[in-house]
Amino acid sequence: MLDDHDRTRLEYAAIYIKETGQSALSDSAGHYRIEGLCDGIYTVRVSHLGCDDLLQSVRIKGSTNMDFHPEHHTEDLQTVYIAASRIADRTTQTTVLLDKQELERSRGLTLGESLHEISGVTTLNTGNSIAKPVIHGLHSNRILVLNNGIRQESQQWGSEHAPEIDPFIASRLGVVKGAAGVRYGPDAIAGVVIAEPAPLPDSAGVGGEVNMVGATNGRSGTVSGTVEGNHAVLPALSWRLQGTLKKSGYVRALDYYLKNTGFVEADFSGALGWEKERYGAELYYSQFNTTLGIFSGAHIGNLTDLQIAFDSETPLDTCGFSYAIDRPYQQIRHDLLKANAWVSTGTAGKLSVVFARQYNLRNEYDKHLPLNDSLAGLNRPQLLYEIISYTTDVMWEHRAVGGFTGSIGVSGLWQANATEGRLFIPNFENDRYGAFLIERFKQPTYELELGIRYDAQHFSAYRWIYTNGDYLLTNPQRDFSNLSGTAGFIWKADSSLTLSFNAGTAWRAPSVAELYSSGLHHGAAAVEFGDPNLRTEKAFNTILNVQYRKGSNFQAEATFYCNPIRDFIYLRPELPPTLTIRGAFPTFYYRQTDALLSGIDVSAQYRPWRKMSVTGRGSLLRARNVRDNEWLVMMPADRVELEVDFLPTARPRVRENVVGIVAQYVVEQTRVPANSDFVAPPPAYLLFHLEASTTLQWNRQQLVVGLSVRNLLNSSYRDYLDRFRYYTDAMGRNIVLRLRMPLAFTKAEKN
Amino acid sequence: MKNNVFLLLSVIAVLVISSCKKDVDHPSHPSNEGEVITTLRLTFVDSANTSDVRVAEFRDPDGPGGIAYDRFDTIRLARNSTYYTQVLLLNETVTPADTISNEVLQESDEHLLCYTPGGISATVVVTDIDSNNLPIGLRSSWYTTGAGNGTMLVVLKHQPGTKNGNCSTGETDVEVGFPVAVN
């Protein structure tokens, strides 16, 4: 509840909903809460001493955050500003979504990098173009990526296989921290990454936006556009088209270009929705295409080459700038087709069905063509993976009954994976079925949540084995099943303090690489052997989140977690090395142990003056291999970040001005197991970044301008979780300019 | 409006159908796939007695990974002798075996074999040269002096654009350290 003139918070304003007769009073900070409303349009009356009553029609869809701005003076009652935005249902797990400013800043980055402003989230990089999100130290098959609500199915097991999602599709980008097996199904051992488009427009008009991003390092350019609409003649129908083009050349470290680090990307998506009061349906299709060069200095033949690369200060293979993409490179395509429908089951609830088909094609081209000319002439990828996945989810959500809300559902996955080229992982088919029930008991000051889920999975591989002088096709089959549970509690002490606690389990079946890989891991200079008898990995995660907000100038959040994982699958180096025709390679076996990951994420924001804001973030992680009493390898180092923002006064044409400087300090990772890596972790580093943004307004047109300078001092550094740290420094200074222009082709209809 | 919808739907349908499905339960035979070097065979001919032919071989029948090597010979040579040595590289996962060393010869300006003796009194002189007068190493002469045991490291480097006559650049295609016994 804000005063329309000076935005002071209005205490004791009465909010009354005409249709239901519900009412609430705003507290001392101007906050209010009305619960138990169904989706729909309501008439709201806001009364406050000294104000005229404000009568407003309001559309509620899910949890809705609504600011009211009653006029304090009757004499200038002309405009009433209403802002409404949908917020996520509060989960008992810790959910962190990028706020508006963070989302703006992330534009142009890959999905993995976009999330780096969330404490506890880091990235596992393979150079500049491949970034996998890491939540609380875990990544790949241990986190689930939801692409428009659909679990992303691709070759997640590979550490150089980044999520195939265009972040421009998403208006909600964030993570759920902690095991979330019941709600989202297997694999959500460490958390969930959420990339979700905005809901389709629900009022008549055609609009859109254009994004343009240019960056100096790599001389990259990105253009992304969206058009969406809804028409008064057919209000049920709405649509959206979106597309992104991206191109980058070789990036530069402090002193040299990294050869063959360019990439191109072309993505598009389309959505069509039909929504009535009692039913609705939506069709969505997206395609992601990229061709990305792999830094050629990192493609090595054996340990001797690796040693030469380590010993060299700068990469052996340097060059000038180019956009050319040569071998080695990857070519990836991901298609998602999603159809969903819902129908209101009277006052009892809502039934929804979601069907999705995903197609993922990954071609990996080695540095060199085959020596054999006829093979070389085909120019085939040395590795090809094609995976097709169908998923279906049926869910029924029931409305509040005596304080209880909940949902029950079933889901199915059918998947087939085909490979060609060098033998690394076999073909397989994978079927999985699951059923879950989650119930929540809501009271004004607390909420309780309990959930249970059962999944069963059948996995069938088609695997060549070399025996007695020839290859033999075998068909090993495995069945996995598991029960998961969740229990959560939220306590809203008052409008400034909220506590949420969750204890949840999640599991995952061993991945195909963990079961059956048997060969030289190209580029990793290691021979890796899977174990066909691995058991499922089970996580039991407890997470406590404390949010505190004092007035409008201080807010803080802390997350404490403890994630013991039974039968944690990891690569253990073992003797003797494997002797091959390319020399001796260190040999790694997939083994299981019990792991314990625990840590703290904190963030706090303080606004000492109106024109200044200070934000601090930090994360700390301790990851133990309990059975062997040693540290786990490849865990992100502890880090802190401090950001100081200046907020110059808004003017009519220049609004939302921010100029900030970010200092990021990452300590050296000293908690590593002995004899498990080729070189010691790199030293600690301190980076500075500059961030500035503003919104320009002329007439009705807006232009959001952002400028970032990453690695302001052009420091040379290497990060422990960058797989290319063996060969090269990380990227040097990068100046990024972002433009975003919202478009309105027809004037939106006024209510 | 309706036409637009149908257009969009048909575009989506075409895109979905165009992503074809491969045969999952009948994967193609691995020997049809790619290229592996399974065998490095050194053949030594005594310059003083050409009927004295010796062979030393390293063989990993399915290439790196999978099953282990099944042949790893010791190079046995006589002291104070000169041997004419030839290198044969094979891919024995296919029938008939593919002679990879022929391909190396064809791209000789991108390849180099280096020989590094360890603990034995023997020297190796490469006797073949590429179009740029740089050594190749598929043919060489080995000169032994005193008796003794040691090793000989045989390295094949792929050096497109960077070949300069030594083995410090490029990517390693083959690296085998043979035990050597000079009697």
Side-chain angles (χ1 to χ4, degrees):
Chain A
M1 213 48 61
L2 305 168
D3 182 277
D4 191 50
H5 293 275
D6 54 8
R7 307 244 154 170
T8 51
R9 282 150 194 276
L10 294 182
E11 199 177 355
Y12 299 118
I15 303 100
Y16 172 76
I17 296 178
K18 219 173 147 187
E19 285 81 359
T20 63
Q22 282 168 286
S23 63
L25 267 186
S26 66
D27 65 13
S28 56
H31 297 291
Y32 72 94
R33 184 191 304 271
I34 296 172
E35 299 200 327
L37 288 173
C38 301
D39 287 359
I41 294 169
Y42 296 93
T43 312
V44 179
R45 193 179 69 217
V46 181
S47 325
H48 188 259
L49 199 67
C51 296
D52 266 7
D53 279 5
L54 173 65
L55 207 61
Q56 186 60 47
S57 171
V58 163
R59 189 184 177 101
I60 304 285
K61 199 174 175 195
S63 284
T64 305
N65 223 359
M66 183 93 46
D67 292 344
F68 292 99
H69 301 255
E71 293 271 342
H72 232 109
H73 308 287
T74 50
E75 59 270 22
D76 49 5
L77 180 69
Q78 300 136 348
T79 51
V80 174
Y81 177 65
I82 298 277
S85 63
R86 204 193 139 138
I87 58 160
D89 294 331
R90 179 185 276 281
T91 54
T92 57
Q93 269 110 8
T94 306
T95 304
V96 187
L97 296 173
L98 294 185
D99 65 27
K100 199 176 141 207
Q101 185 186 332
E102 290 165 338
L103 195 66
E104 294 281 0
R105 282 182 188 178
S106 77
R107 290 313 191 190
L109 299 174
T110 61
L111 178 72
E113 290 169 318
S114 299
L115 303 166
H116 76 270
E117 291 204 43
I118 299 175
S119 63
V121 181
T122 51
T123 55
L124 172 65
N125 286 70
T126 303
N128 58 303
S129 53
I130 301 177
K132 303 200 78 169
V134 178
I135 303 175
H136 291 165
L138 301 175
H139 56 84
S140 298
N141 286 79
R142 293 191 178 98
I143 61 176
L144 182 63
V145 178
L146 288 182
N147 178 4
N148 191 4
I150 301 297
R151 34 183 316 136
Q152 180 86 351
E153 290 291 341
S154 56
Q155 309 288 348
Q156 288 105 324
W157 50 269
S159 54
E160 67 276 42
H161 304 170
E164 302 89 346
I165 296 174
D166 171 15
F168 279 106
I169 64 157
S171 70
R172 295 182 71 218
L173 208 55
V175 297
V176 179
K177 298 177 183 176
V182 172
R183 193 173 283 266
Y184 301 106
D187 298 346
I189 291 222
V192 181
V193 171
I194 295 165
E196 212 170 90
L200 286 170
D202 53 13
S203 49
V206 176
E209 77 175 37
V210 176
N211 280 280
M212 281 183 279
V213 184
T216 55
N217 203 335
R219 301 181 200 173
S220 70
T222 307
V223 183
S224 182
T226 308
V227 206
E228 58 186 20
N230 177 290
H231 302 277
V233 280
L234 204 60
L237 182 78
S238 42
W239 55 272
R240 175 182 297 141
L241 285 171
Q242 178 268 346
T244 302
L245 291 170
K246 225 186 235 189
K247 187 181 174 89
S248 173
Y250 297 1
V251 297
R252 197 177 155 82
L254 174 59
D255 300 319
Y256 45 84
Y257 284 101
L258 307 184
K259 191 175 178 180
N260 202 38
T261 48
F263 65 95
V264 290
E265 193 182 306
D267 318 313
F268 66 89
S269 67
L272 205 57
W274 182 269
E275 187 145 326
K276 300 290 258 185
E277 285 293 311
R278 304 189 41 84
Y279 65 92
E282 201 175 305
L283 193 63
Y284 175 85
Y285 177 80
S286 69
Q287 194 181 99
F288 174 93
N289 294 285
T290 185
T291 302
L292 47 99
I294 305 292
F295 173 51
S296 58
H299 214 268
I300 42 125
N302 73 354
L303 269 191
T304 316
D305 299 1
L306 188 65
Q307 194 59 49
I308 294 172
F310 290 162
D311 294 345
S312 161
E313 273 288 297
T314 58
L316 297 161
D317 205 2
T318 56
C319 59
F321 178 81
S322 169
Y323 283 105
I325 298 171
D326 294 316
R327 287 169 169 263
Y329 67 94
Q330 302 180 352
Q331 200 177 41
I332 300 139
R333 170 173 165 188
H334 191 91
D335 296 10
L336 167 64
L337 175 71
K338 175 187 170 187
N340 65 303
W342 62 269
V343 57
S344 162
T345 50
T347 50
K350 180 174 148 182
L351 180 73
S352 57
V353 181
V354 185
F355 166 81
R357 177 190 190 275
Q358 290 177 78
Y359 171 81
N360 185 281
L361 177 68
R362 163 174 286 274
N363 288 319
E364 297 190 3
Y365 295 83
D366 283 0
K367 191 170 186 174
H368 302 304
L369 286 163
L371 284 162
N372 185 311
D373 285 342
S374 55
L375 277 177
L378 297 172
N379 197 22
R380 281 193 306 191
Q382 270 82 356
L383 274 169
L384 178 153
Y385 306 112
E386 187 190 63
I387 186 160
I388 299 173
S389 315
Y390 295 91
T391 51
T392 302
D393 298 272
V394 180
M395 186 166 82
W396 183 67
E397 293 162 89
H398 73 79
R399 295 253 159 83
V401 182
F404 281 94
T405 56
S407 51
I408 184 167
V410 291
S411 60
L413 164 79
W414 302 269
Q415 195 167 57
N417 181 67
T419 67
E420 280 176 12
R422 200 166 50 223
L423 285 186
F424 194 70
I425 61 159
N427 287 10
F428 66 82
E429 287 166 336
N430 189 23
D431 300 331
R432 188 166 61 215
Y433 302 92
F436 70 90
L437 170 69
I438 300 177
E439 280 297 318
R440 181 182 278 230
F441 181 65
K442 274 191 189 178
Q443 287 296 305
T445 56
Y446 69 93
E447 289 176 30
L448 276 168
E449 188 185 61
L450 280 174
I452 190 165
R453 181 184 181 108
Y454 181 77
D455 294 280
Q457 178 172 349
H458 180 71
F459 182 88
S460 169
Y462 300 91
R463 183 189 188 202
W464 291 104
I465 291 186
Y466 192 87
T467 174
N468 300 325
D470 199 7
Y471 287 98
L472 183 76
L473 185 61
T474 59
N475 179 214
Q477 307 205 10
R478 294 288 308 271
D479 286 292
F480 305 102
S481 61
N482 210 74
L483 199 65
S484 328
T486 182
F489 179 67
I490 299 174
W491 181 51
K492 292 166 272 193
D494 49 51
S495 66
S496 66
L497 179 70
T498 308
L499 256 147
S500 53
F501 172 80
N502 179 276
T505 66
W507 71 287
R508 70 178 185 101
S511 74
V512 62
E514 290 161 345
L515 289 168
Y516 301 118
S517 68
S518 164
L520 188 56
H521 193 148
H522 235 71
V527 173
E528 295 174 3
F529 289 102
D531 176 355
N533 299 314
L534 291 175
R535 298 174 298 275
T536 58
E537 191 178 283
K538 288 143 307 244
F540 180 84
N541 186 305
T542 49
I543 189 160
L544 173 70
N545 178 267
V546 184
Q547 282 180 37
Y548 180 72
R549 180 190 288 268
K550 183 148 200 282
S552 60
N553 58 4
F554 181 77
Q555 60 184 61
E557 181 170 350
T559 303
F560 306 86
Y561 61 92
C562 175
N563 194 2
I565 302 174
R566 267 201 78 187
D567 294 321
F568 182 82
I569 301 169
Y570 74 115
L571 269 175
R572 185 161 76 186
E574 286 180 24
L575 290 170
T578 304
L579 195 59
T580 77
I581 204 155
R582 283 191 187 203
F585 286 93
T587 306
F588 292 83
Y589 292 86
Y590 280 103
R591 301 290 190 216
Q592 291 190 293
T593 185
D594 293 334
L596 176 65
L597 291 91
S598 50
I600 305 169
D601 305 330
V602 287
S603 65
Q605 191 173 37
Y606 178 52
R607 213 166 153 176
W609 303 287
R610 237 164 58 114
K611 290 188 183 175
M612 186 183 171
S613 147
V614 181
T615 310
R617 275 184 281 266
S619 61
L620 196 103
L621 166 68
R622 298 290 174 266
R624 296 292 291 177
N625 174 341
V626 176
R627 263 186 232 167
D628 300 322
N629 195 24
E630 60 182 12
W631 299 106
L632 284 173
V633 75
M634 283 297 272
M635 288 293 159
D638 299 338
R639 59 199 62 214
V640 286
E641 221 175 86
L642 186 70
E643 175 174 344
V644 180
D645 287 328
F646 298 94
L647 311 153
T649 314
R651 314 219 169 269
R653 284 168 188 283
V654 187
R655 294 186 292 112
E656 295 175 38
N657 309 311
V658 187
V659 181
I661 187 138
V662 185
Q664 182 189 12
Y665 182 70
V666 177
V667 308
E668 180 180 336
Q669 182 56 287
T670 51
R671 295 174 181 88
V672 293
N675 305 319
S676 63
D677 204 344
F678 298 114
V679 285
Y685 61 85
L686 172 65
L687 297 180
F688 292 93
H689 313 297
L690 182 91
E691 299 281 358
S693 62
T694 185
T695 302
L696 307 176
Q697 179 99 33
W698 67 96
N699 297 331
R700 299 184 61 84
Q701 186 58 58
Q702 256 187 19
L703 179 69
V704 184
V705 183
L707 180 80
S708 303
V709 185
R710 307 288 302 171
N711 193 358
L712 188 64
L713 304 180
N714 207 13
S715 313
S716 72
Y717 72 101
R718 299 183 184 208
D719 187 79
Y720 178 54
L721 258 61
D722 183 353
R723 297 174 69 245
F724 283 179
R725 72 183 164 91
Y726 297 153
Y727 318 106
T728 168
D729 288 343
M731 201 154 99
R733 183 187 298 130
N734 189 17
I735 306 170
V736 186
L737 179 69
R738 293 179 305 270
L739 302 176
R740 186 170 68 84
M741 191 187 281
L743 302 169
F745 300 113
T746 55
K747 231 170 97 177
E749 219 174 85
K750 287 261 174 173
N751 285 338
Chain B
M1 189 64 230
K2 270 218 165 103
N3 283 342
N4 290 346
V5 173
F6 285 119
L7 185 68
L8 186 68
L9 285 175
S10 44
V11 167
I12 289 168
V14 167
L15 288 165
V16 168
I17 293 159
S18 68
S19 38
C20 59
K21 190 184 169 192
K22 299 206 184 299
D23 212 353
V24 170
D25 49 357
H26 294 95
S28 66
H29 195 274
S31 62
N32 299 330
E33 300 293 344
E35 185 175 68
V36 289
I37 302 173
T38 60
T39 312
L40 167 63
R41 185 184 298 159
L42 300 175
T43 309
F44 302 88
V45 179
D46 188 340
S47 65
N49 171 15
T50 51
S51 62
D52 176 8
V53 177
R54 296 149 188 250
V55 171
E57 190 174 300
F58 179 92
R59 190 171 78 139
D60 186 350
D62 61 347
I67 64 166
Y69 63 91
D70 64 355
R71 188 165 170 189
F72 191 11
D73 297 337
T74 298
I75 298 172
R76 295 180 192 284
L77 303 174
R79 73 192 116 157
N80 298 320
S81 304
T82 299
Y83 293 91
Y84 300 134
T85 309
Q86 266 206 61
V87 172
L88 191 67
L89 293 165
L90 297 174
N91 174 7
E92 292 190 84
T93 63
V94 292
T95 323
D98 188 8
T99 310
I100 304 286
S101 39
N102 289 344
E103 330 277 357
V104 171
L105 188 62
Q106 271 176 30
E107 293 174 14
S108 57
D109 59 338
E110 294 186 356
H111 288 93
L112 175 66
L113 280 132
C114 292
Y115 300 88
T116 314
I120 49 163
S121 37
T123 48
V124 178
V125 175
V126 170
T127 55
D128 50 356
I129 52 167
D130 67 14
S131 52
N132 302 318
N133 283 331
L134 291 171
I136 305 170
L138 287 171
R139 287 165 187 274
S140 54
S141 295
W142 294 39
Y143 303 95
T144 63
T145 50
N149 293 332
T151 58
M152 180 67 80
L153 185 67
V154 183
V155 175
L156 169 64
K157 286 280 190 176
H158 189 190
Q159 307 173 317
T162 58
K163 183 168 173 177
N164 60 6
N166 68 62
C167 269
S168 61
T169 66
E171 190 183 351
T172 306
D173 282 345
V174 170
E175 181 176 305
V176 180
F178 283 101
V180 182
V182 180
N183 300 308

